[in-house]
Amino acid sequence: MNYIYTFAAFVVLAYLVQVILGLRQLKHFNQVYARLRQKGRVAIGRNSGRIKAGTIVMFAIDKQGTVLEAQKMQGVTIAAKFKPMPAYLGQDIHYFDHYNPLVRQENKLLQAAIEDARDIFLKTEAGVYRDAPQSSPFSDLGLRAKLFLARLKNHTQ
């Protein structure tokens, strides 16, 4: 019985550490975003990874679409930090697609995030961007439970 309490305390402690470090990462994101926002508009692209590394890119851009500053954050853990991408300075964001030689040099996850930033920027510039809310893994938990119970009921008959 003592092992159960020890294990439960460990799980709670690990969760609290994850929350604290996650809040620190969010604070770092907000600081970088605020710094880029002072330079101009900010194009943000992401490629969320569940098992593989998640990637976020942010480009501070001027009115013509020229990149003033570029930052990337890529990693699996909450210890990931933003790092500069100096090769993109002075480049036009309109051309950040899979044909661009700079984009092709990056890994596949970073390429997808850069292209996402470009696509969202182009849609926003055209006035047709709609922010679609992403569903959480728990949003359809009730439906999944009902389906599981129905399968179980059908299987036992």
Side-chain angles (χ1 to χ4, degrees), residues 18 32 40 64 72-73 78 91 99 102 114 119 125:
Q18 180 181 1
V32 172
Q64 290 77 31
K72 70 176 176 180
M73 179 171 59
I78 50 181
Q91 300 292 322
Y99 298 112
L102 280 176
I114 291 170
D119 291 343
E125 194 174 48

PDB file of all heavy atoms in Angstrom, residues 18 32 40 64 72-73 78 91 99 102 114 119 125:
ATOM      1  N   GLN A  18       5.969  19.409 -14.961  1.00  0.00           N
ATOM      2  CA  GLN A  18       5.630  19.622 -16.371  1.00  0.00           C
ATOM      3  C   GLN A  18       4.832  20.910 -16.552  1.00  0.00           C
ATOM      4  O   GLN A  18       5.071  21.671 -17.486  1.00  0.00           O
ATOM      5  CB  GLN A  18       4.844  18.439 -16.915  1.00  0.00           C
ATOM      6  CG  GLN A  18       4.472  18.602 -18.370  1.00  0.00           C
ATOM      7  CD  GLN A  18       3.666  17.442 -18.908  1.00  0.00           C
ATOM      8  OE1 GLN A  18       3.349  16.508 -18.195  1.00  0.00           O
ATOM      9  NE2 GLN A  18       3.338  17.508 -20.173  1.00  0.00           N
ATOM     10  N   VAL A  32       9.375  36.328 -27.038  1.00  0.00           N
ATOM     11  CA  VAL A  32       9.883  36.364 -28.410  1.00  0.00           C
ATOM     12  C   VAL A  32       8.845  36.983 -29.334  1.00  0.00           C
ATOM     13  O   VAL A  32       9.174  37.824 -30.182  1.00  0.00           O
ATOM     14  CB  VAL A  32      10.288  34.949 -28.886  1.00  0.00           C
ATOM     15  CG1 VAL A  32      10.631  34.933 -30.366  1.00  0.00           C
ATOM     16  CG2 VAL A  32      11.467  34.436 -28.071  1.00  0.00           C
ATOM     17  N   GLY A  40       7.254  44.615 -36.522  1.00  0.00           N
ATOM     18  CA  GLY A  40       6.259  44.610 -37.591  1.00  0.00           C
ATOM     19  C   GLY A  40       5.274  43.472 -37.408  1.00  0.00           C
ATOM     20  O   GLY A  40       5.098  42.947 -36.317  1.00  0.00           O
ATOM     21  N   GLN A  64       6.046  44.909 -47.058  1.00  0.00           N
ATOM     22  CA  GLN A  64       6.245  44.283 -48.361  1.00  0.00           C
ATOM     23  C   GLN A  64       6.417  42.766 -48.249  1.00  0.00           C
ATOM     24  O   GLN A  64       6.486  42.081 -49.259  1.00  0.00           O
ATOM     25  CB  GLN A  64       7.472  44.866 -49.076  1.00  0.00           C
ATOM     26  CG  GLN A  64       7.302  46.292 -49.542  1.00  0.00           C
ATOM     27  CD  GLN A  64       7.430  47.300 -48.419  1.00  0.00           C
ATOM     28  OE1 GLN A  64       8.163  47.083 -47.452  1.00  0.00           O
ATOM     29  NE2 GLN A  64       6.689  48.390 -48.518  1.00  0.00           N
ATOM     30  N   LYS A  72      12.984  30.044 -34.667  1.00  0.00           N
ATOM     31  CA  LYS A  72      12.385  28.706 -34.713  1.00  0.00           C
ATOM     32  C   LYS A  72      12.508  28.056 -33.351  1.00  0.00           C
ATOM     33  O   LYS A  72      13.435  28.314 -32.592  1.00  0.00           O
ATOM     34  CB  LYS A  72      13.066  27.829 -35.759  1.00  0.00           C
ATOM     35  CG  LYS A  72      14.478  27.419 -35.379  1.00  0.00           C
ATOM     36  CD  LYS A  72      15.086  26.485 -36.383  1.00  0.00           C
ATOM     37  CE  LYS A  72      16.541  26.182 -35.998  1.00  0.00           C
ATOM     38  NZ  LYS A  72      17.169  25.272 -36.939  1.00  0.00           N
ATOM     39  N   MET A  73      11.533  27.219 -33.032  1.00  0.00           N
ATOM     40  CA  MET A  73      11.578  26.393 -31.834  1.00  0.00           C
ATOM     41  C   MET A  73      11.210  24.991 -32.281  1.00  0.00           C
ATOM     42  O   MET A  73      10.149  24.779 -32.862  1.00  0.00           O
ATOM     43  CB  MET A  73      10.616  26.880 -30.755  1.00  0.00           C
ATOM     44  CG  MET A  73      10.653  26.006 -29.512  1.00  0.00           C
ATOM     45  SD  MET A  73       9.735  26.637 -28.094  1.00  0.00           S
ATOM     46  CE  MET A  73       8.098  26.763 -28.735  1.00  0.00           C
ATOM     47  N   ILE A  78       9.650  20.053 -23.320  1.00  0.00           N
ATOM     48  CA  ILE A  78       9.319  21.426 -22.972  1.00  0.00           C
ATOM     49  C   ILE A  78      10.562  22.252 -22.702  1.00  0.00           C
ATOM     50  O   ILE A  78      10.470  23.414 -22.336  1.00  0.00           O
ATOM     51  CB  ILE A  78       8.356  21.478 -21.762  1.00  0.00           C
ATOM     52  CG1 ILE A  78       8.889  20.623 -20.625  1.00  0.00           C
ATOM     53  CG2 ILE A  78       6.978  21.068 -22.162  1.00  0.00           C
ATOM     54  CD1 ILE A  78       8.015  20.581 -19.412  1.00  0.00           C
ATOM     55  N   GLN A  91      14.764  37.991 -46.833  1.00  0.00           N
ATOM     56  CA  GLN A  91      14.059  37.189 -47.844  1.00  0.00           C
ATOM     57  C   GLN A  91      12.582  37.577 -47.874  1.00  0.00           C
ATOM     58  O   GLN A  91      12.040  38.088 -46.899  1.00  0.00           O
ATOM     59  CB  GLN A  91      14.198  35.692 -47.530  1.00  0.00           C
ATOM     60  CG  GLN A  91      15.615  35.192 -47.497  1.00  0.00           C
ATOM     61  CD  GLN A  91      16.264  35.211 -48.862  1.00  0.00           C
ATOM     62  OE1 GLN A  91      15.628  34.922 -49.871  1.00  0.00           O
ATOM     63  NE2 GLN A  91      17.543  35.556 -48.895  1.00  0.00           N
ATOM     64  N   TYR A  99       9.795  24.857 -53.099  1.00  0.00           N
ATOM     65  CA  TYR A  99      10.732  25.076 -54.202  1.00  0.00           C
ATOM     66  C   TYR A  99      11.896  25.982 -53.793  1.00  0.00           C
ATOM     67  O   TYR A  99      12.919  26.018 -54.471  1.00  0.00           O
ATOM     68  CB  TYR A  99      10.026  25.707 -55.409  1.00  0.00           C
ATOM     69  CG  TYR A  99       8.934  24.827 -55.972  1.00  0.00           C
ATOM     70  CD1 TYR A  99       7.593  25.190 -55.866  1.00  0.00           C
ATOM     71  CD2 TYR A  99       9.247  23.632 -56.607  1.00  0.00           C
ATOM     72  CE1 TYR A  99       6.593  24.393 -56.377  1.00  0.00           C
ATOM     73  CE2 TYR A  99       8.247  22.822 -57.116  1.00  0.00           C
ATOM     74  CZ  TYR A  99       6.929  23.207 -56.997  1.00  0.00           C
ATOM     75  OH  TYR A  99       5.949  22.406 -57.504  1.00  0.00           O
ATOM     76  N   LEU A 102      16.343  27.728 -49.697  1.00  0.00           N
ATOM     77  CA  LEU A 102      16.551  27.852 -48.249  1.00  0.00           C
ATOM     78  C   LEU A 102      15.648  26.890 -47.489  1.00  0.00           C
ATOM     79  O   LEU A 102      16.081  26.239 -46.538  1.00  0.00           O
ATOM     80  CB  LEU A 102      16.248  29.278 -47.789  1.00  0.00           C
ATOM     81  CG  LEU A 102      17.319  30.325 -48.008  1.00  0.00           C
ATOM     82  CD1 LEU A 102      16.814  31.695 -47.594  1.00  0.00           C
ATOM     83  CD2 LEU A 102      18.568  29.980 -47.242  1.00  0.00           C
ATOM     84  N   ILE A 114       7.427  26.244 -41.871  1.00  0.00           N
ATOM     85  CA  ILE A 114       7.698  27.441 -42.675  1.00  0.00           C
ATOM     86  C   ILE A 114       6.609  27.627 -43.729  1.00  0.00           C
ATOM     87  O   ILE A 114       6.104  28.731 -43.933  1.00  0.00           O
ATOM     88  CB  ILE A 114       9.098  27.357 -43.322  1.00  0.00           C
ATOM     89  CG1 ILE A 114      10.180  27.467 -42.247  1.00  0.00           C
ATOM     90  CG2 ILE A 114       9.288  28.443 -44.374  1.00  0.00           C
ATOM     91  CD1 ILE A 114      11.585  27.146 -42.748  1.00  0.00           C
ATOM     92  N   ASP A 119       1.554  30.106 -45.779  1.00  0.00           N
ATOM     93  CA  ASP A 119       0.157  29.929 -46.174  1.00  0.00           C
ATOM     94  C   ASP A 119      -0.781  30.799 -45.341  1.00  0.00           C
ATOM     95  O   ASP A 119      -1.681  31.457 -45.876  1.00  0.00           O
ATOM     96  CB  ASP A 119      -0.254  28.464 -46.057  1.00  0.00           C
ATOM     97  CG  ASP A 119       0.427  27.576 -47.077  1.00  0.00           C
ATOM     98  OD1 ASP A 119       0.969  28.108 -48.068  1.00  0.00           O
ATOM     99  OD2 ASP A 119       0.439  26.343 -46.879  1.00  0.00           O
ATOM    100  N   GLU A 125      -3.260  38.006 -45.700  1.00  0.00           N
ATOM    101  CA  GLU A 125      -3.047  39.132 -46.602  1.00  0.00           C
ATOM    102  C   GLU A 125      -4.206  39.267 -47.592  1.00  0.00           C
ATOM    103  O   GLU A 125      -4.627  40.369 -47.922  1.00  0.00           O
ATOM    104  CB  GLU A 125      -1.725  38.927 -47.345  1.00  0.00           C
ATOM    105  CG  GLU A 125      -1.195  40.140 -48.052  1.00  0.00           C
ATOM    106  CD  GLU A 125       0.180  39.881 -48.644  1.00  0.00           C
ATOM    107  OE1 GLU A 125       0.377  38.842 -49.305  1.00  0.00           O
ATOM    108  OE2 GLU A 125       1.054  40.732 -48.450  1.00  0.00           O
TER     109      GLU A 125
END
